[in-house]
């Protein structure tokens, strides 16, 4: 059963196929040369290059080698007394001598302890004088 609609559809498809074939064949034709193309067979002109003249000269040799440095001996600095550190008196990584002062510690705490000890000494001497006087009577 062929209807009128299917015949029209066939004719439309055939017409569309012929039109597309004609368009594809016309695209395969010879092309005009593009403006700026080279006259000798369409090859592009050679590229521009820079030129350097080579001459012998003295060159200093240098080497940069990566590496790690590790100390032979490591000294740990530990506090022997407690207190507030006011100043560090050495540069890290520098050499220090035995007995060298490394830190300046706030003297207020130690001054108060010294004053208290002097007061106890004075009281003890006073008690000694009183006891000696009492023993002589």
């Amino acid at each position: 059963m062929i209807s009128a609609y299917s015949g029209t559809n066939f004719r439309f498809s055939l017409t569309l196929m012929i039109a597309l074939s004609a368009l594809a064949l016309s695209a395969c034709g010879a092309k005009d040369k593009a403006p700026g193309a080279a006259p000798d067979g369409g090859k592009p002109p050679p590229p521009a290059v820079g030129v350097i003249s080579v001459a012998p000269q003295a060159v200093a040799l240098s080497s940069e080698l990566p590496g790690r440095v590790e100390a032979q001996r490591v000294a740990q600095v530990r506090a022997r007394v407690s207190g507030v550190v006011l100043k560090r008196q050495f540069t890290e990584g520098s050499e220090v001598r035995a007995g060298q002062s490394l830190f300046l510690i706030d003297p207020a705490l130690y001054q108060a302890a010294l004053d208290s000890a002097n007061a106890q000494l004075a009281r003890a001497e006073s008690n000694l004088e009183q006891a000696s006087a009492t023993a002589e009577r």
Side-chain angles (χ1 to χ4, degrees):
M1 257 177 101
I2 298 177
S3 67
Y5 179 73
S6 65
T8 306
N9 196 14
F10 177 73
R11 281 188 211 135
F12 176 73
S13 297
L14 184 61
T15 306
L16 182 62
M17 203 179 324
I18 291 172
L20 287 175
S21 297
L23 182 64
L25 287 175
S26 68
C28 293
K31 299 189 186 279
D32 292 337
K33 290 185 179 179
D40 57 351
K43 294 181 183 176
V49 295
V51 178
I52 298 174
S53 299
V54 179
Q57 63 182 7
V59 177
L61 296 178
S62 65
S63 298
E64 290 186 24
L65 304 173
R68 292 185 181 172
V69 178
E70 185 176 326
Q72 291 178 343
R73 291 187 292 168
V74 177
Q76 294 181 355
V77 178
R78 294 186 182 158
R80 292 186 177 178
V81 295
S82 62
V84 177
V85 176
L86 296 178
K87 184 178 178 185
R88 185 176 71 180
Q89 297 180 329
F90 67 96
T91 305
E92 195 163 329
S94 66
E95 291 188 24
V96 294
R97 296 179 308 279
Q100 178 182 347
S101 175
L102 300 178
F103 297 99
L104 177 63
I105 298 175
D106 186 13
L109 178 67
Y110 300 108
Q111 188 64 44
L114 177 64
D115 292 343
S116 176
N118 285 336
Q120 286 179 355
L121 177 64
R123 186 173 38 181
E125 287 175 348
S126 156
N127 287 342
L128 175 64
E129 287 178 16
Q130 254 184 348
S132 296
T134 304
E136 286 179 9
R137 286 189 212 168

